[in-house]
Amino acid sequence: MDDRAFLDGLTDILGPKGVATQADDLAPWLTDWRERVTGDALALVSPKNVGQVQDIVRLASDAGVAIVPQGGNTGMVAGGVPCPGDRAILLSLRKMNAIRSIDPADNSLTAEAGAILSHVHAAAEEHGRRFPLSLGAKDSATIGGLIATNAGGTQVLRFGSMRNLTLGVEAVLPDGSLFEGLSTLRKDNRGYDLRQLLAGSEGTLGIITAASLKLIPAAPHRTVAWIGLGSASDALALLRLLESEVGDAVESFELVPQAALELVLKHIPGTRAPLAGEHRWNVLTELRSAADGDELRAQCEAGLAAALDQGLIADAVIAESEAQAEAFCKIREVISEAERADGRAAKHDVSVPVSAMPRFIEDATQAVEDRFAGTRVVAFGHLGDGNVHFNVRAPAGGNDAAWLAETGPEVSSFVHDLTHEVGGSLSAEHGIGQLKLSEFARVADPTRLSALRAIKQALDPLGIMNPGKLVPLANPGDNP
Ligand code: FAD
Ligand code: 2HG
Ligand code: ZN
């Protein structure tokens, strides 16, 4: 089937308004959030229902055209945009954004894949419940994209990543068949778990059209604190101390270096440093309780006082109001945006065992800055999960885009080797996409790679679902 006949077929399925082919209409969706890749597509299609998704998949399969599912296009590894030169369509789930149902007795919510995370939060809150996963892109990221990347965020410490919070999935598989897995069962042992296979599959095994999510009871009382301290190992000791004081009320424990705070203050209007002095490291922690706000705050104060006595922390402030709590949290949420506004960085979304992370941050920072003169490491994020964003910023005053293109790959290999040496992973939460594909192929265990390829081949033998992402080709030279 030639391109003309294929596009006519798409218009038959979706009507003219559901198919965009003009370059201006496509352009905003062909480049990823980090502006690292601009891909090619024959069309942007926006189905409104599952039947249309199935018809598009069958037509694309007949025509041998690749399909790139896209939600909010906030992914960090260019998984949601086509590869340059691809004969592909972008399939946007944005019009499939309904909250289909909420069942407070079941503590579950069922939403279409294009539902935006903050809308899901609001819908759960209306029923006295919470969906406990949040991240800086919450006003754009969609449920489909979050599942497809197995996203994490700031509350993984307590509630786990998207996998742990997804009860059921509805998805169109690469042959156009519909997997009707929207169950809200808490226990289901019918063998291989397709829901879990789709979580983290980055659009390579099918198109998620809806999902059932786990809700938890609302916890109206929160205490948010900003803490200044001298080292990442003190920060980890503080986490363990707070946990012993307040138990699992600690929902977030995020590490923010002074360098990241400075980027935020420089680029994000309306932000203010929470503490008067400067500290090499800061921690943002959020504690929540359904029971008693005053007691929670008292426990937090006691924990911080003990930390001060033990010399673990230098200073701390507990938010006095909800507005101040939001302001503290915002500083953490906008780090990526501030970093992007400041220039290019080689980004590394690494995890190592939690106990090894403080040492890793110190040693790897030293090693990178020694080896690549002028670079500056900004390592921030989810310390309690053993996951920091180990971002290496280009030397100041040069052409950072050119630096990233020329030196970035060498820097990334260096960082990934250091990660690998301590048993870590090169992708803790963002996935592989296009940007980490060659590195994944380089460092991954061959058995893992061949199992991935076998699964891909079994479900998508024609290779139409999001090619060039996540699953490295057997011949490394063929990878984009
Ligand atoms: P997209 O970017 O559109 O797509 C991401 C991947 O999912 C692509 O491979 C795409 O093909 C696939 N996909 C999308 N929809 C579907 C579908 N319906 N079916 C099948 N495949 C699909 N991530 C974290 O884990 N933790 C964070 O703390 C975090 N913070 C962020 C902060 C900012 C400011 C930004 C910009 C991003 C952040 N991210 C974070 C990354 C990003 O938000 C997540 O990866 C998110 O899950 C992507 O959702 P999306 O709807 O934008 O997906
Ligand atoms: C975060 O934790 C995101 O803020 C983005 O995962 C990390 O920009 C990054 O490197
Ligand atoms: Zn993160």
Side-chain angles (χ1 to χ4, degrees), residues 298-317:
Q299 284 174 329
C300 180
E301 281 169 354
L304 293 177
L308 204 56
D309 282 351
Q310 292 176 28
L312 287 179
I313 68 175
D315 199 1
V317 53

Side-chain angles (χ1 to χ4, degrees), residues 146-409:
L146 291 157
I147 296 174
T149 56
N150 182 29
T154 48
Q155 289 153 302
V156 170
L157 181 66
R158 170 88 194 275
F159 301 107
S161 58
M162 206 58 197
R163 267 185 204 294
N164 303 64
L165 296 167
T166 303
L167 294 168
V169 160
E170 175 191 88
V172 174
L173 300 184
D175 63 358
S177 62
L178 185 64
F179 171 59
E180 295 185 78
L182 274 186
S183 145
T184 60
L185 296 175
R186 305 289 160 146
K187 297 176 104 173
D188 179 7
N189 251 348
R190 288 175 283 178
Y192 305 145
D193 192 338
L194 205 43
R195 163 194 58 146
Q196 291 297 358
L197 211 48
L198 288 161
S201 66
E202 302 187 29
T204 63
L205 297 180
I207 299 165
I208 297 162
T209 50
S212 309
L213 305 173
K214 210 183 267 183
L215 302 181
I216 59 164
H221 308 292
R222 75 163 168 169
T223 293
V224 172
W226 187 276
I227 300 137
L229 27 68
S231 73
S233 66
D234 285 348
L236 185 56
L238 171 67
L239 170 62
R240 298 305 179 222
L241 191 156
L242 278 179
E243 284 171 339
S244 64
E245 286 284 333
V246 300
D248 58 8
V250 184
E251 292 199 356
S252 305
F253 192 88
E254 297 283 314
L255 190 65
V256 181
Q258 174 65 19
L261 177 59
E262 280 168 14
L263 289 175
V264 169
L265 300 177
K266 180 173 167 195
H267 292 287
I268 309 294
T271 50
R272 290 181 49 195
L275 294 172
E278 285 185 7
H279 302 277
R280 187 162 167 237
W281 295 99
N282 300 270
V283 160
L284 172 79
T285 187
E286 179 174 344
L287 285 60
R288 273 195 185 262
S289 156
D292 184 337
D294 291 339
E295 192 185 325
L296 187 68
R297 189 184 168 97
Q299 284 174 329
C300 180
E301 281 169 354
L304 293 177
L308 204 56
D309 282 351
Q310 292 176 28
L312 287 179
I313 68 175
D315 199 1
V317 53
I318 297 180
E320 289 296 341
S321 63
E322 193 47 34
Q324 199 177 25
E326 272 307 311
F328 290 0
C329 293
K330 182 176 171 186
I331 293 172
R332 165 63 189 92
E333 283 179 359
V334 297
I335 294 176
S336 299
E337 207 180 314
E339 192 189 65
R340 185 176 72 162
D342 205 68
R344 303 273 173 155
K347 281 177 174 284
H348 309 99
D349 161 40
V350 298
S351 60
V352 302
V354 177
S355 57
M357 186 48 96
R359 182 81 195 259
F360 175 84
I361 294 174
E362 295 294 337
D363 291 354
T365 299
Q366 187 73 54
V368 167
E369 292 181 351
D370 283 353
R371 166 113 179 223
F372 301 95
T375 57
R376 295 145 301 154
V377 171
V378 179
F380 66 92
H382 323 291
L383 179 71
D385 309 327
N387 165 212
V388 296
H389 302 299
F390 192 90
N391 297 344
V392 182
R393 304 185 44 70
N399 177 339
D400 51 2
W403 174 85
L404 189 58
E406 281 158 25
T407 315

